[in-house]
Amino acid sequence: MSHSPIRKDKTCLNCRHVVEQNFCPNCGQENTDSRKTFHHLFIHFFEDLTHYENAFWKTIRNLLFKPATLTKEYLSGKRLSYLAPVRLYIFISFITFLMIALFPGESKPIVTSDKNHTKSQKEIPKNIFTGDLSDLKPGAEFDSFTKNVDSIQKFAPKEKKLDGFSYWIIKKVKYVKDHNTKKEIIEKFTESFVHNIPKVLFIIMPFFAFFLWVFHNKRKWYYFDHGIFTLHYFSFLLLMFLILFIIQKLIGLFGEDNPLTFISDIADFVGFIWMSYYFYPAHHRFYGETRWVSFLKSVALFFINSFFILFLLIIYAFYTFLNLH
């Protein structure tokens, strides 16, 4: 509830209706001073998202421990007792971004060495001029190839030279490997992935709802229904990630070798199991199908969405790698 003083003027600023109480009976706008302090705006932001404390905690409790309850309640018309699905997701996303900003990844000095030295053409692997990228073997030979990519473009026969895109990719890979150790690449990628999980989930949501629409009765269920289910399910996933992230970072404040790290490990294990299982009871309770039908559809949807998510993550991983410094 807002604690701002009520305006002396009884005319609603929104619809010009006469207001005798705190809220306009015509449009519902609160009759308070329109000029607010920053403190009020910050508090009002949380109040607007959470409505009242009871509704907020009731929503979070049901979201975490009662799969599909929020979706069924919302679609049945009981909407004032809980946070609206979109506001719920936005609120959790906001807190997630805030926590990530408060607990950034540790920045470590990058140890580099001068790996660039002049090589004669004899030192270039023999298959550089006699084949294409598919001829290369993984490991040391590929490393040697990346180190000599400039020589390839300069001395190799025209038909054996790389195209512009391949050359750019190889140069980028070489730059990343020259300026980062394997451990640093993994750490940077992990940090970037964590920071972008909310964005990745947001991109996936409409596709997730589409697959639900494909698997269910089109006359009984609208895409809107699947969308609300998806919003609640992804809000759960994001909230679980947020909880595990906070636990990990708080325990990490005591050092990497502190005796409390086992709590973080247990939380991660339990959280992963619950996130993996959650979709099945949520699907069964919401769509009301038999357990076996719901189980089979859940498994099918799990693999389809996992494949789709994996495809997006591969693209994302490639993009992230190319943007490492």
Side-chain angles (χ1 to χ4, degrees):
M1 284 292 291
S2 173
H3 300 290
S4 300
I6 303 300
R7 295 173 58 247
K8 294 181 180 180
D9 185 357
K10 298 301 181 181
T11 303
C12 178
L13 294 172
N14 184 56
C15 67
R16 312 307 296 175
H17 193 82
V18 177
V19 183
E20 298 293 342
Q21 299 176 344
N22 293 355
F23 294 88
C24 175
N26 185 50
C27 69
Q29 177 167 295
E30 190 175 10
N31 189 36
T32 58
D33 192 345
S34 59
R35 300 183 66 184
K36 309 294 184 182
T37 64
F38 176 79
H39 174 266
H40 174 84
L41 291 175
F42 186 77
I43 297 300
H44 183 71
F45 171 76
F46 283 94
E47 289 180 346
D48 187 48
L49 286 173
T50 60
H51 291 290
Y52 300 98
E53 185 177 357
N54 290 338
F56 172 72
W57 291 113
K58 186 178 180 181
T59 300
I60 297 300
R61 184 171 62 252
N62 281 278
L63 181 67
L64 285 175
F65 304 113
K66 295 183 178 180
T69 296
L70 290 179
T71 310
K72 294 176 67 175
E73 293 281 85
Y74 181 83
L75 294 178
S76 68
K78 299 178 182 179
R79 301 181 179 180
L80 290 180
S81 300
Y82 307 95
L83 300 190
V86 175
R87 287 187 173 185
L88 174 64
Y89 186 83
I90 292 175
F91 176 75
I92 297 175
S93 296
F94 172 80
I95 299 299
T96 302
F97 282 118
L98 180 63
M99 290 296 103
I100 290 176
L102 292 176
F103 295 96
E106 296 180 2
S107 57
K108 298 180 180 180
I110 298 177
V111 180
T112 59
S113 58
D114 185 14
K115 299 180 180 180
N116 299 320
H117 52 276
T118 304
K119 286 190 176 184
S120 66
Q121 191 169 333
K122 294 181 180 179
E123 293 178 283
I124 302 174
K126 60 180 180 180
N127 64 344
I128 285 179
F129 296 143
T130 60
D132 55 18
L133 292 178
S134 61
D135 297 324
L136 293 172
K137 298 178 181 179
E141 191 171 346
F142 182 77
D143 290 340
S144 180
F145 174 81
T146 60
K147 292 176 183 178
N148 294 281
V149 67
D150 291 326
S151 298
I152 298 173
Q153 295 300 92
K154 186 176 180 180
F155 299 110
K158 184 177 180 180
E159 64 275 8
K160 299 300 181 180
K161 290 183 179 181
L162 302 174
D163 60 83
F165 179 73
S166 298
Y167 178 63
W168 178 79
I169 292 293
I170 295 297
K171 287 284 289 183
K172 188 63 181 179
V173 171
K174 179 180 182 300
Y175 178 85
V176 171
K177 294 187 67 174
D178 285 349
H179 291 79
N180 299 272
T181 64
K182 290 183 179 180
K183 182 178 180 181
E184 287 168 345
I185 292 175
I186 294 174
E187 288 177 350
K188 289 181 178 181
F189 174 78
T190 302
E191 181 181 347
S192 179
F193 177 79
V194 169
H195 279 67
N196 287 279
I197 281 181
K199 300 176 185 177
V200 174
L201 290 179
F202 185 78
I203 294 173
I204 293 173
M205 276 196 294
F207 298 98
F208 190 92
F210 171 76
F211 291 130
L212 287 172
W213 178 79
V214 169
F215 271 72
H216 296 90
N217 190 323
K218 310 301 184 296
R219 294 181 179 180
K220 183 178 181 181
W221 304 104
Y222 298 110
Y223 183 84
F224 174 81
D225 304 327
H226 304 306
I228 298 301
F229 178 87
T230 300
L231 274 169
H232 283 140
Y233 178 58
F234 276 62
S235 294
F236 160 77
L237 294 177
L238 192 57
L239 181 59
M240 285 297 301
F241 163 77
L242 175 61
I243 292 173
L244 297 177
F245 178 82
I246 292 175
I247 292 174
Q248 183 184 72
K249 291 301 180 180
L250 289 178
I251 292 178
L253 293 176
F254 297 95
E256 296 183 359
D257 299 324
N258 75 85
L260 297 177
T261 52
F262 78 94
I263 297 178
S264 179
D265 295 336
I266 293 175
D268 288 341
F269 176 77
V270 174
F272 176 78
I273 295 298
W274 182 227
M275 284 191 289
S276 301
Y277 173 74
Y278 187 95
F279 181 76
Y280 166 67
H283 181 275
H284 173 64
R285 294 174 186 177
F286 178 66
Y287 292 101
E289 297 173 318
T290 63
R291 292 186 178 277
W292 274 109
V293 171
S294 186
F295 175 76
L296 292 175
K297 285 188 176 182
S298 296
V299 172
L301 285 165
F302 174 80
F303 281 106
I304 291 174
N305 283 290
S306 295
F307 176 81
F308 182 72
I309 292 172
L310 180 62
F311 173 73
L312 291 180
L313 287 178
I314 290 174
I315 296 177
Y316 168 76
F318 182 72
Y319 172 81
T320 301
F321 180 81
L322 293 181
N323 283 275
L324 289 177
H325 298 290

